[in-house]
Amino acid sequence: MGTPEFPDLGKHCAVSDCKLIDFLPFTCDRCDQVYCLEHRSYIKHQCTKADKRDVTVVICPLCAKGVRLVPDQDPNITWENHVNTECDPSNYEKVTKKKKCPVPGCREILVFSNTIKCRDCTVDHCLKHRYGPDHKCPGPKNLQTSFSFMNILNGSKKEGSKPKSSSSASSKWTTSFLNTASNIRASAEAGVSKLSGEINQAWQTARGAVGQSHNGGQVEQCPQCGVKFSSVTTLVDHVQNFHERSGNRSGAKVTIDVCPKCSRGFRDPVSLVEHVERDHGGSSRA
């Protein structure tokens, strides 16, 4: 067997009538014997373990489930084990019963390729009855409304107008809920009012600054450093940022009074009063 250079090359076929030396032998995956090219199949060498890895499944006529037969076990024993442990006759109708179109008189069997779900009634129909008028669609279902705060308030008010027939616990809960709702509403209204006031105040300030800057070319002058500004708002910001915060001790802090109507600034309150009486008819209301 083999050659002088490779003495272990090649093996004899396991078939007794063959014994051929094959340099590329085949090993059977069932009986683990070595065979030549001619006897490599199960039938040619009559393999005794040819069904060792075969998968044989029998459909149970009672539950329509697959029962796998064990190669080294009697099929009758495998069948008895299945009937005693896994067999469920109620599963037979689920597997064998085919789904049909629910339209009366239609016998179309619904499969993957011809099934259409109606988007209104969410029921599967065939292609022929996929439209609403064809299967008498009742229309979309009424969706349950989510938790509505106003509905609870309205319902509580209606219950309050009716005679008191509920229990004391229910009335206490309703009263507490209404008080909480009223507090929340009052807080929200107060916040909105405050925000509106701040917006209006900022808007009036901006309008006054713009009107002052375009009012006849008037110029406001800083009493400490002599810098000129086009509006009183800019002058006030300048005094606060550069004179009050810098700790300048050379001069005393100056208080500027602003006219509520024309936004003009005055260092002396008397001058402000005279200005109001002279230019605005004695009324200081904006």
Side-chain angles (χ1 to χ4, degrees):
M1 184 176 64
T3 60
E5 292 81 5
F6 302 98
D8 297 331
L9 184 62
K11 292 184 180 180
H12 289 281
C13 180
V15 178
S16 58
D17 296 338
C18 180
K19 297 296 182 179
L20 179 66
I21 298 177
D22 197 331
F23 294 101
L24 295 173
F26 296 88
T27 302
C28 180
D29 58 350
R30 305 299 172 85
C31 61
D32 296 330
Q33 296 294 327
V34 179
Y35 299 96
C36 63
L37 178 63
E38 182 181 356
H39 300 99
R40 70 183 186 278
S41 62
Y42 303 143
I43 298 175
K44 289 294 183 178
H45 67 266
Q46 298 179 357
C47 185
T48 58
K49 300 180 180 180
D51 58 347
K52 183 178 180 181
R53 297 184 181 179
D54 289 348
V55 178
T56 305
V57 179
V58 180
I59 304 300
C60 177
L62 301 178
C63 63
K65 291 183 179 180
V67 180
R68 181 176 179 179
L69 301 180
V70 182
D72 297 336
Q73 189 178 16
D74 188 3
N76 295 325
I77 298 176
T78 306
W79 174 258
E80 290 180 0
N81 293 334
H82 165 71
V83 172
N84 296 330
T85 57
E86 300 177 355
C87 188
D88 185 11
S90 62
N91 187 60
Y92 183 81
E93 294 183 359
K94 297 179 182 179
V95 176
T96 58
K97 187 178 180 180
K98 296 180 180 179
K99 190 176 181 180
K100 296 183 180 180
C101 181
V103 176
C106 183
R107 299 182 179 180
E108 187 73 18
I109 298 175
L110 298 180
V111 294
F112 176 78
S113 60
N114 68 341
T115 302
I116 300 295
K117 178 177 289 187
C118 179
R119 62 182 180 181
D120 293 332
C121 60
T122 65
V123 179
D124 294 335
H125 296 84
C126 63
L127 295 176
K128 183 179 179 181
H129 302 99
R130 64 184 183 273
Y131 297 112
D134 297 333
H135 63 265
K136 297 180 180 180
C137 182
K141 297 181 180 179
N142 294 329
L143 299 177
Q144 295 293 337
T145 57
S146 59
F147 181 81
S148 179
F149 184 76
M150 296 303 299
N151 290 338
I152 291 180
L153 290 180
N154 295 332
S156 301
K157 291 180 180 179
K158 291 181 181 179
E159 291 179 358
S161 61
K162 295 181 180 179
K164 296 183 179 179
S165 60
S166 60
S167 61
S168 59
S170 178
S171 61
K172 290 181 180 179
W173 184 90
T174 304
T175 304
S176 176
F177 185 81
L178 289 176
N179 293 335
T180 305
S182 301
N183 295 334
I184 294 175
R185 183 175 181 181
S187 300
E189 291 179 352
V192 173
S193 300
K194 183 178 180 181
L195 181 61
S196 301
E198 292 179 356
I199 293 175
N200 293 332
Q201 184 178 1
W203 175 249
Q204 293 294 338
T205 303
R207 290 182 58 185
V210 173
Q212 185 67 20
S213 62
H214 295 283
N215 188 11
Q218 295 181 358
V219 178
E220 301 295 337
Q221 185 175 4
C222 178
Q224 295 189 19
C225 60
V227 180
K228 296 181 180 181
F229 299 93
S230 60
S231 63
V232 179
T233 305
T234 310
L235 174 60
V236 173
D237 294 338
H238 164 74
V239 172
Q240 293 177 352
N241 294 331
F242 292 95
H243 296 294
E244 293 183 0
R245 295 183 181 180
S246 61
N248 188 6
R249 300 181 181 178
S250 59
K253 296 183 180 179
V254 179
T255 302
I256 299 177
D257 298 323
V258 182
C259 177
K261 296 201 68 174
C262 63
S263 301
R264 186 176 178 182
F266 297 90
R267 289 179 291 177
D268 186 8
V270 178
S271 301
L272 174 60
V273 174
E274 294 177 354
H275 162 72
V276 172
E277 293 178 353
R278 182 179 63 256
D279 298 337
H280 302 298
S283 176
S284 61
R285 295 182 181 181

